[in-house]
Amino acid sequence: MNAEIIAVGSELLLGQIANTNAQFLSQQLAGLGINVYFHTVVGDNAARLEQAIKVARTRADLIIFTGGLGPTKDDLTKETIARLLQRKLVTDEEALRSIEAYFARTNRIMTENNKKQALVLQGSVILKNEHGMAPGMAITIDSITYMLLPGPPKEMQPMFLKYGRAFLLEKLGQQERIESRVLRFFGIGESELETRIQDLIDQQSNPTIAPLAGDGEVTLRLTAKHRSEAEAKKMLDETEKKIVERVGAYLYGYNEETLFEKAIQTLKAQKKTVAAAESLTGGLFLEQLTAVPGASQVVRGGVVCYTNDVKEKVLGVPHAVLTADGAVSERCACLLAENVRTLCQADIGISFTGVAGPAPLEGKPVGTVYIGISTSDNRTDVYPLTLSGQRDAIRVRTAKYGCSFLLKALDGYR
Amino acid sequence: MNAEIIAVGSELLLGQIANTNAQFLSQQLAGLGINVYFHTVVGDNAARLEQAIKVARTRADLIIFTGGLGPTKDDLTKETIARLLQRKLVTDEEALRSIEAYFARTNRIMTENNKKQALVLQGSVILKNEHGMAPGMAITIDSITYMLLPGPPKEMQPMFLKYGRAFLLEKLGQQERIESRVLRFFGIGESELETRIQDLIDQQSNPTIAPLAGDGEVTLRLTAKHRSEAEAKKMLDETEKKIVERVGAYLYGYNEETLFEKAIQTLKAQKKTVAAAESLTGGLFLEQLTAVPGASQVVRGGVVCYTNDVKEKVLGVPHAVLTADGAVSERCACLLAENVRTLCQADIGISFTGVAGPAPLEGKPVGTVYIGISTSDNRTDVYPLTLSGQRDAIRVRTAKYGCSFLLKALDGYR
């Protein structure tokens, strides 16, 4: 099955938003073994949408549309497809009732134009919208499958995952299945990782191994094709084993898992708590950690010690250390980690001090970073780093390094 | 001029990245008054790229390509266009020297395939790459202009802004210019804002007024067309004035300016400092504030008081308050704001306490939020909020509300 994704919406052509729907659907279709050969974006214009559909029909047997299912006169995806395929639009009673219930529940008056959202292509399979009003639909005509999904990602994504995917799986029947698995690495550069497994990448065609780098992390996507899901998984296991033998020390997780989720999980499993003293990261580390649901069980809190005064008065770093060694120093990182641990009564204290830029500080260049990890009264490790890049990138990578050192302290890598 | 943007790269079709290049270029082209009617994404495949170009030529007189200019055999944008247009590829000596210099500078050996990056379409205008190796280029053949830009945003964006834009401006000559201005609002919903200015939106066709909502903010993009830039700006001023008369109280900034940048600016101008106590936001407020370069002049720091212990021991909230009123209470927000102000010796203390979810807390529903602003020993205001949405959205909007109340306290709105 070869697919094209057509996003409908002038806001995309004005650059007000990026086409993240196409990204999401591409990932999903790749997981189902469906090739995506084109994405098209077209505005809220019937003639140009019609033209885009005509082009897509020459090169795809699955066309997925996002957007244009709403109540306004700008929403014309269904209408245009109906005209082109000479299909009627009929009211779906269940969808209509659900729209009416939505208005009743929110104490709002349903205007007439909202009924338009319950219109569906006659004979299509309805994809229920559990997070909004307009239903999606799918229909196969002349060997081409059309799937219509709403534009807002918070409606589109759950609809596809629950109903759209099931429709496609049934359609695919007993064809070859694709299984993929993403291995997530931190603390090793993309080129070094690639060099170490270059021969595996070159030799293997099934599973394939595709590296991708971003935000200081490197991932390897392994993709196996087989008629049997179990066999595909076994192939992935074997390839993973070979990779782990070489670079397993840097592997921290799988698929969509983040370093911060892994840290929260590991802390929970070990019933340990953490507190942080953040200078250059300004709260980023704790923010990322507490973004994980359930963080409150293991994150005590911490201090954003952006100024030397706060380092001294709140976290008890002696004035002499700040003048002799400076705030950006091993000694300061060490004391911050120890003192935030005792101040917040946590099992582990972690500290971040350094120069995020744009200007140097205390004569130390941009990218100089010290991360302290205090695990008890007798043990504090300080890791010096030299990072390159802009202010934001330095802060983000510093927080991630902190998370990786925390995992190391917990012996929680992998 | 009608444009189509063709992004070349299989990583887009696999969903590994979103097509943010098309978003950036669409914004830029809108600013130049060039209509963008289609975006297309195609993989690293010569036959399909050729097909995409053939389609684009039927419907656009400006085709901008991103990606496929690199050294590997997967990079085939230039080669495909050259074959289709029957143009030779020739080595650009300046580009070649710059690539050689790049390798010399980084002490790396230049492999033969890198020379391919210096090949350009014969007769094209070269767009210099000041952030990478592969040059861009632009050429007009049979009334269609082709512009080729590299894929990495950090190379593509500066190249377009410095060289690509200038090429197009010259091409546009004395045509009508488009000026646009974005007005940024916080604290008012999209539908309320629209209702209050509906008659202006309906009446006006030049400038147009386009609302957009996201992350708790609403923006209005005003777009004026005129032959004279000065006249267009005057038209924007007049329309802005009419809008400000109605909803000026919610206007905090312009164009890309964020609430946090505005807060830092205002604090600097008034030589005032701020400290924060963050419970449900977990460091997000301080992180956003310190992400603004120069924040260190006005941000003292703060405490992430994620647990009641930290609220009590570090920020001195009496145990009795935490048991009687609870951590999620007006009283607690008030004390946190006051105490973080004195602890960090700041002019203004701000506090965030509430329920981000997923589960209720202290019997208070998800979305219950209190924000305290303490400006002196005699004055602390607490703002109760009831927010809807998921954990992340609640945290983000809470931090933004805090920023808007801070601006209000500084009398810094607009």
Side-chain angles (χ1 to χ4, degrees):
Chain A
M1 223 186 227
N2 296 334
E4 173 154 349
I5 300 168
I6 299 182
V8 187
S10 299
E11 66 279 16
L12 289 155
L13 296 180
L14 288 167
Q16 294 176 330
I17 54 172
N19 190 6
T20 54
N21 283 342
Q23 182 184 14
F24 172 84
L25 289 169
S26 295
Q27 288 173 351
Q28 290 296 321
L29 295 176
L32 293 170
I34 296 171
N35 300 312
V36 178
Y37 285 145
F38 293 94
H39 297 171
T40 298
V41 176
V42 59
D44 302 314
N45 175 292
R48 284 191 287 269
L49 174 56
E50 195 173 312
Q51 191 195 356
I53 301 169
K54 283 182 181 161
V55 170
R57 291 174 69 178
T58 65
R59 59 195 190 185
D61 44 23
L62 168 64
I63 308 176
I64 302 189
F65 298 83
T66 58
L69 302 185
T72 77
K73 61 180 192 299
D74 274 357
D75 295 302
L76 36 73
T77 303
K78 286 183 298 204
E79 292 72 6
T80 307
I81 296 173
R83 200 172 47 245
L84 198 65
L85 301 182
Q86 297 179 295
R87 282 266 154 167
K88 264 194 194 158
L89 287 171
V90 294
T91 297
D92 181 69
E93 290 301 329
E94 199 186 326
L96 184 60
R97 277 194 300 277
S98 134
I99 294 166
E100 285 166 348
Y102 176 86
F103 277 92
R105 199 165 60 239
T106 53
N107 285 316
R108 296 194 303 161
I109 292 156
M110 180 169 155
T111 51
E112 197 58 26
N113 61 352
N114 281 290
K115 287 192 181 163
K116 173 169 167 314
Q117 296 190 90
L119 288 176
V120 300
L121 291 163
Q122 194 165 37
S124 62
V125 173
I126 306 304
L127 312 174
K128 270 210 275 186
N129 190 337
E130 294 175 355
H131 297 79
M133 288 190 281
M137 65 205 81
I139 190 168
T140 303
I141 297 172
D142 299 335
S143 309
I144 297 177
T145 298
Y146 303 81
M147 182 178 285
L148 285 67
L149 301 170
K154 68 176 202 291
E155 299 179 23
M156 186 279 287
Q157 294 187 9
M159 181 187 289
F160 182 82
L161 291 173
K162 193 157 173 189
Y163 301 108
R165 201 171 172 277
F167 178 91
L168 293 176
L169 273 174
E170 203 184 306
K171 194 105 208 136
L172 288 167
Q174 287 309 307
Q175 290 181 26
E176 211 164 52
R177 286 291 298 278
I178 290 205
E179 286 293 323
S180 72
R181 179 182 303 171
V182 176
L183 310 186
R184 306 187 70 92
F185 297 85
F186 189 82
I188 184 170
E190 185 186 20
S191 59
E192 193 187 336
L193 187 129
E194 269 195 63
T195 307
R196 293 217 208 163
I197 59 165
Q198 194 62 56
D199 56 319
L200 298 178
I201 296 178
D202 291 346
Q203 282 160 27
Q204 302 230 136
S205 61
N206 189 20
T208 55
I209 305 173
L212 185 73
D215 276 343
E217 300 192 35
V218 191
T219 61
L220 292 177
R221 178 181 287 271
L222 317 184
T223 308
K225 290 193 191 197
H226 200 283
R227 280 180 178 278
S228 136
E229 197 178 315
E231 273 305 312
K233 282 194 173 139
K234 205 175 130 201
M235 288 159 69
L236 291 180
D237 288 342
E238 282 163 14
T239 302
E240 181 185 332
K241 192 160 166 271
K242 285 185 211 164
I243 293 168
V244 164
E245 278 167 14
R246 313 236 186 130
V247 286
Y250 302 96
L251 176 67
Y252 77 83
Y254 296 91
N255 301 322
E256 298 307 309
E257 190 174 33
T258 70
L259 271 168
F260 295 93
E261 284 167 2
K262 180 81 181 186
I264 294 290
Q265 270 171 36
T266 311
L267 287 164
K268 274 188 189 171
Q270 302 189 12
K271 295 192 173 31
K272 284 194 177 152
T273 59
V274 69
E278 302 197 48
S279 182
L280 86 155
T281 45
L284 181 61
F285 175 78
L286 284 168
E287 187 272 308
Q288 294 278 301
L289 213 52
T290 57
V292 181
S296 60
Q297 291 170 46
V298 291
V299 180
R300 303 279 304 168
V303 176
V304 177
C305 47
Y306 213 58
T307 49
N308 282 2
D309 262 10
V310 173
K311 291 184 184 73
E312 192 179 331
K313 307 238 161 79
V314 183
L315 284 169
V317 178
H319 193 72
V321 170
L322 293 170
T323 47
D325 299 67
V328 180
S329 67
E330 192 178 321
R331 184 101 195 91
C332 184
C334 180
L335 289 166
L336 288 173
E338 286 171 2
N339 296 354
V340 81
R341 178 174 63 77
T342 48
L343 180 72
C344 296
Q345 297 172 301
D347 297 312
I348 303 173
I350 178 165
S351 68
F352 301 87
T353 184
V355 192
L361 196 69
E362 300 177 346
K364 289 141 194 166
V366 172
T368 309
V369 171
Y370 294 91
I371 297 177
I373 302 262
S374 172
T375 46
S376 73
D377 288 345
N378 307 318
R379 172 102 203 217
T380 300
D381 294 315
V382 176
Y383 300 87
L385 297 172
T386 306
L387 302 177
S388 58
Q390 302 283 307
R391 183 179 172 86
D392 280 353
I394 287 174
R395 286 159 54 103
V396 168
R397 274 184 295 143
T398 297
K400 285 191 175 180
Y401 267 106
C403 207
S404 78
F405 298 144
L406 173 63
L407 278 172
K408 197 189 264 186
L410 292 165
D411 207 13
Y413 242 68
R414 261 214 292 163
Chain B
M1 220 184 227
N2 296 333
E4 173 153 350
I5 300 167
I6 300 182
V8 187
S10 299
E11 66 279 15
L12 289 155
L13 295 180
L14 288 167
Q16 294 176 329
I17 54 171
N19 190 5
T20 54
N21 283 343
Q23 183 183 12
F24 171 83
L25 289 169
S26 294
Q27 289 173 351
Q28 290 297 321
L29 295 176
L32 294 171
I34 297 171
N35 300 313
V36 179
Y37 285 145
F38 293 94
H39 297 171
T40 298
V41 176
V42 59
D44 301 314
N45 175 290
R48 284 191 288 270
L49 174 57
E50 195 173 312
Q51 192 195 353
I53 300 170
K54 282 181 181 163
V55 170
R57 291 174 69 177
T58 66
R59 58 195 190 185
D61 43 24
L62 168 64
I63 309 177
I64 302 189
F65 299 81
T66 58
L69 302 185
T72 77
K73 61 180 191 301
D74 274 357
D75 294 302
L76 36 72
T77 303
K78 284 184 297 204
E79 292 72 7
T80 307
I81 295 173
R83 198 170 52 243
L84 197 66
L85 300 184
Q86 295 180 296
R87 283 267 153 167
K88 266 194 193 157
L89 286 172
V90 295
T91 297
D92 182 69
E93 291 302 329
E94 197 186 327
L96 184 60
R97 278 193 301 275
S98 135
I99 294 167
E100 285 165 349
Y102 176 87
F103 277 92
R105 199 166 60 239
T106 53
N107 284 317
R108 295 193 304 161
I109 291 155
M110 179 168 155
T111 51
E112 196 59 25
N113 61 353
N114 281 290
K115 287 193 182 161
K116 175 170 165 311
Q117 295 190 91
L119 288 176
V120 299
L121 291 163
Q122 195 165 37
S124 62
V125 173
I126 305 305
L127 312 174
K128 271 210 276 186
N129 190 338
E130 295 175 354
H131 298 78
M133 288 189 281
M137 66 206 80
I139 190 168
T140 304
I141 298 172
D142 299 336
S143 309
I144 297 177
T145 298
Y146 302 80
M147 181 177 283
L148 285 66
L149 301 170
K154 69 176 200 289
E155 299 178 23
M156 186 279 287
Q157 294 187 10
M159 181 186 291
F160 182 82
L161 290 173
K162 193 157 174 188
Y163 301 109
R165 202 171 171 276
F167 177 90
L168 293 176
L169 273 174
E170 201 183 308
K171 194 105 207 135
L172 288 168
Q174 286 309 305
Q175 289 181 28
E176 213 161 50
R177 287 291 297 280
I178 289 206
E179 288 293 324
S180 72
R181 179 182 303 170
V182 176
L183 310 186
R184 307 186 70 92
F185 298 85
F186 190 82
I188 183 170
E190 185 186 22
S191 60
E192 195 187 334
L193 187 131
E194 270 194 63
T195 307
R196 291 217 211 164
I197 59 164
Q198 194 62 56
D199 55 320
L200 298 178
I201 296 177
D202 291 345
Q203 284 159 26
Q204 301 230 137
S205 61
N206 188 21
T208 55
I209 305 173
L212 186 73
D215 277 341
E217 299 192 34
V218 191
T219 62
L220 292 177
R221 177 181 288 272
L222 315 186
T223 308
K225 290 194 191 194
H226 201 282
R227 279 179 178 278
S228 136
E229 200 178 314
E231 273 305 311
K233 283 194 175 142
K234 206 175 128 200
M235 289 159 71
L236 292 179
D237 288 342
E238 281 163 15
T239 302
E240 182 186 332
K241 191 158 166 268
K242 285 185 209 162
I243 293 168
V244 164
E245 277 167 14
R246 314 235 185 131
V247 287
Y250 303 96
L251 176 66
Y252 76 82
Y254 296 91
N255 301 321
E256 298 307 309
E257 190 174 33
T258 70
L259 271 169
F260 294 94
E261 285 166 1
K262 179 81 182 185
I264 293 291
Q265 269 171 34
T266 311
L267 287 163
K268 275 188 188 171
Q270 302 190 13
K271 296 190 172 30
K272 284 193 177 153
T273 59
V274 67
E278 302 196 49
S279 182
L280 85 154
T281 45
L284 181 61
F285 175 78
L286 284 168
E287 186 272 306
Q288 294 279 301
L289 213 51
T290 58
V292 180
S296 59
Q297 291 171 44
V298 292
V299 179
R300 303 279 304 170
V303 177
V304 177
C305 47
Y306 214 57
T307 49
N308 282 0
D309 262 11
V310 174
K311 290 184 185 73
E312 192 177 332
K313 307 240 161 75
V314 183
L315 284 169
V317 177
H319 193 72
V321 170
L322 293 170
T323 47
D325 298 68
V328 181
S329 66
E330 193 180 316
R331 184 101 195 93
C332 183
C334 181
L335 289 165
L336 288 173
E338 286 172 2
N339 296 354
V340 81
R341 177 174 62 77
T342 49
L343 179 72
C344 296
Q345 296 170 302
D347 297 313
I348 303 173
I350 179 165
S351 68
F352 301 87
T353 184
V355 192
L361 196 69
E362 301 179 344
K364 289 142 194 165
V366 173
T368 309
V369 171
Y370 294 91
I371 297 177
I373 302 263
S374 171
T375 46
S376 72
D377 288 347
N378 306 317
R379 171 106 203 213
T380 300
D381 293 315
V382 176
Y383 300 87
L385 297 172
T386 307
L387 302 178
S388 58
Q390 302 282 307
R391 182 179 174 86
D392 280 353
I394 287 174
R395 286 160 53 106
V396 168
R397 274 183 296 144
T398 297
K400 285 191 175 183
Y401 266 106
C403 208
S404 78
F405 298 144
L406 172 62
L407 278 173
K408 197 190 265 187
L410 293 166
D411 208 12
Y413 241 69
R414 258 212 297 163

